[in-house]
Amino acid sequence: MKEVLPLAEGWSLSYSDNPLPAQVPGCVHTDLLAAGLIPDPFLGVNEPAVAWVGQRAWTYVRDLPGSDTAGEGHERTDLVFDGLDTAATITLDGREVGRTRNMHRRYRFDVTGRHGRLEVDFASAYDEAASVRALTGERPNVYPEPFQYIRKMACSFGWDWGPTLVTAGIWRPVRLERWSTARLADVRPLVTVEGGTGRVEICIEIERTAQGTARPLTVRATVGDGLAEARGVVEGTHAVLTMEVPDAALWWPRGYGDQPLYDLKLELAEEAAGPGAEERLLDSWHRRIGFRTVELDRSADEHGTGFTLVVNGERIFARGVNWIPDDVFPSRITPDRYRTRLRQTAGAGVDLVRVWGGGIYEDDAFYDACDELGLMVWQDFLFACAAYPEEQPLRGEVEAEARDNVVRLMPHPSLVLWNGNNENLWGFRDWDWEPELRGDSWGGGYYLDLLPRIVAELDPTRPYTAGSPWSGSWEHHPNDPAHGTHHSWEVWNRRDYAEYRDSVPRFVSEFGWQAPPAMATLRRALPGERLAPDSPGMLHHQKAEDGDGKLNRGVERHFVLPEDDFDRWHYLTQVVQARAIATGIEHWRSHWPVCAGTIVWQINDCWPVSSWAAIDGDGRFKPLYHELRRVYADRLLTLQPGDGDDGLPVLAVVNQSAEPWQAHIRLRRLRADGTEVAEHVLDVTVAARAVHRRTVPQDLAPAQGSAKEFLVADSEDLRSVHLPVTDREFAYPVPHYDVAVESPMGAGTGNVEVVVTAHTLVRDLLLQADRLGPDAVCDTGLRTLLPGEQLRLRVTGATDTGANAVRAALFCVEPA
């Protein structure tokens, strides 16, 4: 049987002729941090002080005893790296074992019988990129860093939300594998279901030793606990086994059904030598699979060209988020951290996670958690925001990388879509690349030829799309909202968030709005700094071009921009972020099935920074997180500005649940002081997975441009508020509310309930729980109260629960 020896221990890192202890998996930065040799680049303005780390070569060293690689009953010993970052030369006892130039691949080297000093020498990523650029020539790029010349996590070179911390190291596990006769080299399970019967076709690639070339082998596969079994004889290096599982339970996205997973096991054995002898087990493989069908409906219709995911025959409005690496040092992301972040993601009502093309193919623990949570995965191939050369040595690396990761990830039922790139088709057409390239390669051959061929060959059970955004062909603009996927960035960059309502794209795969992180995150990341929007640390932790200018203009369109009041500025930027995203999602969801999905940029951060994330770099929720939970819920009530000649608001009742919704809706026109002017009660039946739209009656609609009246729709615990004017124009009363603090679990527990009783209109009340303690969490985000209403907020983990502290942590909209 194959034997595995992990090689996590005993490594050192060369540093000025003084070796340092090295953690494997890990990276140079984390080892230097552990040794106290560099400052924490996440704090203050330390980042530039560690730039030198990515600009020099590094060497990892350990001893490899002969007892580990000698025969000892095994014919072959392989040195296996699951991830090397990035351009490395591996030597053993002074003799070269192999070279690598791709962070996103696995590597295997035969080291049978060899031993001694094992060295992994990493070249500077900048030097590697320069050598490739010298061969391929210059290519245009959105950022002034050479990431398109090296197969490495692009965002380690910096992004408009991330630091420039160019890593090197053995970033995924390394081990020795000792085996004889043959091993399982690749296993590709093609999992389908038809008529209730699940089918598993396993395509197997086998590597043999020289002595094992002609030996008779068998493979045996099982699904579940005896649900299905297949056995076959292997005569060469290929085999195919097929099994059927009657009445297979279907895997569904969350909100549509359960997520049953089946154990799929495969064993490779040498046939018995003679009568009475037993087979000799050589190797085994195990994954969990799920039975489901997935299609991508790109049919043309009267609105353009659709883009609708169809799972098990069910058409789905995808409630999505974009995912970036959860740490700029990805070796620090543990399975528990993946599971925590993805549980939080599912808790926000999300059912689809797009793994963005400037990061990494995530660890299997990420996809395992998505399988269990019912989170569909849209997986980008790793190309983003640049023209990529298609010449060698990159082309061979791209193909090997794609084949490796398609095979690795395809067992996961959560994976529903392969995507060729992020924004490169759009960039070629719109960002002046075409004239600059003058006919040179730029990546189009990858996205429109190589990658779809690889997916069709290796994983035909899933759809592929060439890019995001992409209209489906060059007959339409790549980012045409009427065709395929659309990235909506003009609104954040240049417009008011209300302009999300100006179009109904078929599928919005990126849109977002910035806000700073939570206050406790800022205080940790910027120790001792007097916080201001333009203080040194705040400016350094804002990577977007004119980021603060866009934040301020976003606030000014709706509120008076605070002067010399950072707390107020911080609150209002958070409000505008939450409102902006809600505005887009409410509008686009109300136009289902024309629009079939939204993917918010972004759910997470890789360090503490002002960004588009809903969960900041320290893992704290912004108000946007709670707003996602509201607008991504199965049931949504939203008032939309009128789009007809009469200008009357439209009530949209969205039901994405599996059952009809008998909605009892109370519509009220109110004055700013809370006086009711008119009321109407509606009983609406909304079919499952459907939307009901109706114009608000004339007598309930506030006069256009009125600063003294507003409209409220309520149903159960759902509420939507419509103002005819912006907040800065509305005649808000001075907010007046009482605050009481209750400790249902007893004083000193840190768990309290805050009871707010409104005496006036209280708009977008927010309790910033992290002001009560760095670990404090509130269960509620922005809420609007009418006079006489009471709200109960549950807080856990607080260190200060005094009434004064709680009141100081409460914010709401105030009159201009």
Side-chain angles (χ1 to χ4, degrees):
M1 178 65 175
K2 181 176 73 177
E3 186 179 5
V4 177
L5 280 69
L7 297 180
E9 305 296 330
W11 291 92
S12 62
L13 177 68
S14 64
Y15 178 78
S16 300
D17 298 324
N18 295 313
L20 305 174
Q23 182 173 343
V24 172
C27 75
V28 172
H29 286 84
T30 53
D31 289 332
L32 295 174
L33 274 169
L37 294 171
I38 59 172
D40 188 339
F42 283 19
L43 301 184
V45 295
N46 290 340
E47 175 199 344
V50 301
W52 62 271
V53 176
Q55 294 167 354
R56 57 157 286 179
W58 296 92
T59 300
Y60 283 75
V61 179
R62 65 156 285 166
D63 184 58
L64 199 61
S67 58
D68 286 351
T69 61
E72 299 292 333
H74 297 88
E75 299 172 40
R76 172 90 167 262
T77 301
D78 290 344
L79 176 62
V80 182
F81 293 96
D82 284 340
L84 290 170
D85 176 15
T86 294
T89 301
I90 300 99
T91 59
L92 182 55
D93 195 27
R95 292 182 297 162
E96 184 173 313
V97 170
R99 293 174 179 254
T100 73
R101 59 194 327 156
N102 194 326
M103 179 180 181
H104 308 303
R105 287 179 57 188
R106 296 170 291 183
Y107 291 94
R108 177 180 294 268
F109 305 104
D110 183 354
V111 295
T112 307
R114 299 173 62 177
H115 60 90
R117 180 182 172 92
L118 175 61
E119 293 189 5
V120 184
D121 297 298
F122 289 98
S124 159
Y126 286 102
D127 291 345
E128 168 69 8
S131 67
V132 172
R133 180 167 47 196
L135 295 172
T136 65
E138 293 282 347
R139 296 295 191 280
N141 184 342
V142 171
Y143 298 103
E145 293 281 337
F147 61 81
Q148 74 265 49
Y149 305 104
I150 181 170
R151 296 309 300 158
K152 174 178 173 59
M153 185 174 86
C155 63
S156 71
F157 289 92
W159 221 260
D160 57 3
W161 35 258
T164 301
L165 294 169
V166 181
T167 52
I170 305 172
W171 77 288
R172 279 184 168 158
V174 54
R175 61 190 173 278
L176 293 175
E177 291 187 3
R178 307 196 297 197
W179 54 283
S180 299
T181 306
R183 71 175 187 90
L184 296 168
D186 271 335
V187 180
R188 292 190 298 114
L190 301 172
V191 182
T192 56
V193 61
E194 185 174 355
T197 297
R199 188 173 189 270
V200 184
E201 179 182 305
I202 310 176
C203 303
I204 306 161
E205 299 290 328
I206 293 169
E207 183 181 9
R208 294 175 181 258
T209 64
Q211 297 91 326
T213 300
R215 294 186 186 178
L217 305 176
T218 62
V219 284
R220 184 173 70 93
T222 59
V223 175
D225 188 11
L227 292 176
E229 183 174 330
R231 182 184 179 92
V233 176
V234 184
E235 296 182 351
T237 57
H238 309 277
V240 177
L241 294 179
T242 302
M243 295 175 287
E244 291 189 346
V245 179
D247 302 318
L250 296 180
W251 183 96
W252 288 95
R254 62 173 303 277
Y256 289 82
D258 296 329
Q259 294 79 44
L261 299 171
Y262 293 80
D263 287 321
L264 174 61
K265 297 179 180 178
L266 180 68
E267 294 181 336
L268 173 68
E270 185 176 8
E271 286 190 1
E278 294 184 354
E279 290 184 335
R280 183 165 68 100
L281 185 62
L282 301 175
D283 200 357
S284 63
W285 178 96
H286 169 251
R287 297 291 188 277
R288 293 183 303 173
I289 60 171
F291 293 100
R292 55 100 184 95
T293 63
V294 58
E295 304 166 84
L296 182 60
D297 185 352
R298 291 183 266 205
S299 302
D301 56 26
E302 67 273 24
H303 304 286
T305 309
F307 193 93
T308 304
L309 285 165
V310 184
V311 179
N312 299 328
E314 183 81 54
R315 301 175 68 82
I316 290 175
F317 181 97
R319 293 168 278 189
V321 291
N322 283 274
W323 173 279
I324 66 171
D326 206 51
D327 196 316
V328 76
F329 304 132
S331 59
R332 298 200 296 201
I333 310 172
T334 64
D336 283 346
R337 181 163 162 183
Y338 274 126
R339 194 166 297 277
T340 295
R341 195 72 71 243
L342 289 167
R343 281 176 177 158
Q344 292 169 338
T345 300
V350 171
D351 59 22
L352 182 144
V353 178
R354 176 189 170 208
V355 181
W356 168 75
I360 58 175
Y361 304 98
E362 299 288 347
D363 187 82
D364 281 308
F366 173 93
Y367 304 92
D368 286 340
C370 290
D371 291 343
E372 297 164 12
L373 293 167
L375 290 170
M376 296 179 287
V377 176
W378 160 326
Q379 177 66 57
D380 281 13
F381 287 101
L382 300 185
F383 305 89
C385 301
Y388 285 78
E390 297 176 39
E391 292 78 26
Q392 297 293 8
L394 287 177
R395 186 176 183 85
E397 287 296 336
V398 166
E399 178 165 0
E401 166 193 319
R403 290 182 175 277
D404 190 357
N405 285 284
V406 168
V407 170
R408 178 172 73 90
L409 300 182
M410 62 186 289
H412 293 281
S414 56
L415 179 56
V416 298
L417 182 67
W418 294 104
N419 176 53
N421 75 89
N422 176 76
E423 298 190 342
N424 293 341
L425 295 159
W426 181 20
F428 178 72
R429 179 56 50 87
D430 265 10
W431 300 347
D432 297 325
W433 292 359
E434 198 166 358
E436 183 178 343
L437 287 163
R438 297 186 300 276
D440 286 344
S441 66
W442 55 278
Y446 296 148
Y447 321 133
L448 300 170
D449 179 25
L450 177 65
L451 294 175
R453 284 194 288 108
I454 290 173
V455 171
E457 173 194 345
L458 299 178
D459 187 19
T461 68
R462 288 179 179 85
Y464 169 89
T465 185
S468 182
W470 179 232
S471 60
S473 78
W474 290 114
E475 295 179 6
H476 307 288
H477 187 280
N479 199 29
D480 187 335
H483 300 276
T485 50
H486 176 66
H487 287 196
S488 178
W489 284 115
E490 280 297 296
V491 172
W492 155 253
N493 284 321
R494 296 172 182 86
R495 302 176 183 172
D496 179 28
Y497 65 71
E499 295 182 59
Y500 283 131
R501 302 190 184 106
D502 288 352
S503 67
V504 182
R506 305 313 303 270
F507 194 109
V508 187
S509 47
E510 274 191 27
F511 78 108
W513 202 277
Q514 267 203 358
M519 188 64 69
T521 299
L522 289 174
R523 288 172 177 156
R524 188 196 69 81
L526 306 176
E529 181 164 309
R530 182 182 178 276
L531 296 176
D534 59 352
S535 61
M538 286 295 296
L539 289 176
H540 186 75
H541 289 249
Q542 166 60 276
K543 297 295 187 178
E545 182 180 1
D546 190 29
D548 278 359
K550 294 169 185 176
L551 280 175
N552 290 339
R553 289 190 291 276
V555 171
E556 283 183 306
R557 292 183 183 108
H558 295 267
F559 303 96
V560 174
L561 190 66
E563 295 184 9
D564 300 322
D565 188 344
F566 181 79
D567 287 348
R568 193 80 196 152
W569 178 87
H570 181 267
Y571 162 75
L572 289 176
T573 54
Q574 301 272 2
V575 169
V576 171
Q577 181 189 39
R579 283 207 199 164
I581 299 306
T583 297
I585 293 175
E586 289 184 15
H587 169 66
W588 293 320
R589 279 192 74 182
S590 74
H591 285 278
W592 160 260
V594 177
C595 180
T598 56
I599 308 183
V600 176
W601 188 271
Q602 66 219 57
I603 186 63
N604 62 330
D605 265 328
C606 65
W607 78 313
V609 64
S610 292
S611 84
W612 298 265
I615 304 173
D616 75 17
D618 280 10
R620 295 186 176 92
F621 297 159
K622 298 182 187 179
L624 173 58
Y625 176 86
H626 297 281
E627 197 68 356
L628 284 178
R629 191 167 60 185
R630 180 183 72 83
V631 296
Y632 272 165
D634 281 351
R635 294 176 174 179
L636 174 67
L637 196 66
T638 176
L639 290 164
Q640 298 289 308
D643 51 10
D645 294 336
D646 55 15
L648 294 175
V650 172
L651 172 68
V653 189
V654 182
N655 179 24
Q656 205 163 342
S657 70
E659 302 296 330
W661 180 13
Q662 309 290 335
H664 182 76
I665 302 169
R666 186 184 181 196
L667 283 168
R668 287 177 286 172
R669 176 159 61 100
L670 303 171
R671 294 194 180 97
D673 64 3
T675 304
E676 184 176 297
V677 179
E679 179 184 20
H680 190 67
V681 174
L682 301 175
D683 287 303
V684 176
T685 300
V686 189
R689 323 291 189 196
V691 177
H692 174 89
R693 292 172 62 92
R694 68 165 62 185
T695 301
V696 170
Q698 177 76 54
D699 65 317
L700 284 173
Q704 292 190 44
S706 172
K708 297 183 178 180
E709 291 187 344
F710 64 104
L711 179 63
V712 176
D714 289 297
S715 180
E716 300 170 359
D717 60 344
L718 305 180
R719 167 167 286 174
S720 182
V721 177
H722 168 69
L723 273 62
V725 295
T726 65
D727 291 82
R728 65 181 298 159
E729 300 169 299
F730 191 73
Y732 281 112
V734 175
H736 179 207
Y737 53 88
D738 293 332
V739 178
V741 181
E742 300 176 359
S743 301
M745 300 181 67
T749 64
N751 301 330
V752 298
E753 293 187 353
V754 177
V755 182
V756 179
T757 303
H759 300 291
T760 63
L761 171 64
V762 179
R763 178 76 159 139
D764 281 338
L765 181 74
L766 176 67
L767 175 60
Q768 293 189 356
D770 59 291
R771 291 174 179 267
L772 305 177
D775 298 323
V777 176
C778 182
D779 67 342
T780 304
L782 300 167
R783 295 289 293 270
T784 293
L785 302 179
L786 303 179
E789 291 183 337
Q790 192 173 84
L791 175 65
R792 188 172 290 268
L793 307 171
R794 293 172 177 82
V795 178
T796 59
T799 56
D800 188 346
T801 57
N804 290 337
V806 170
R807 181 170 279 279
L810 283 164
F811 295 81
C812 68
V813 172
E814 296 177 352

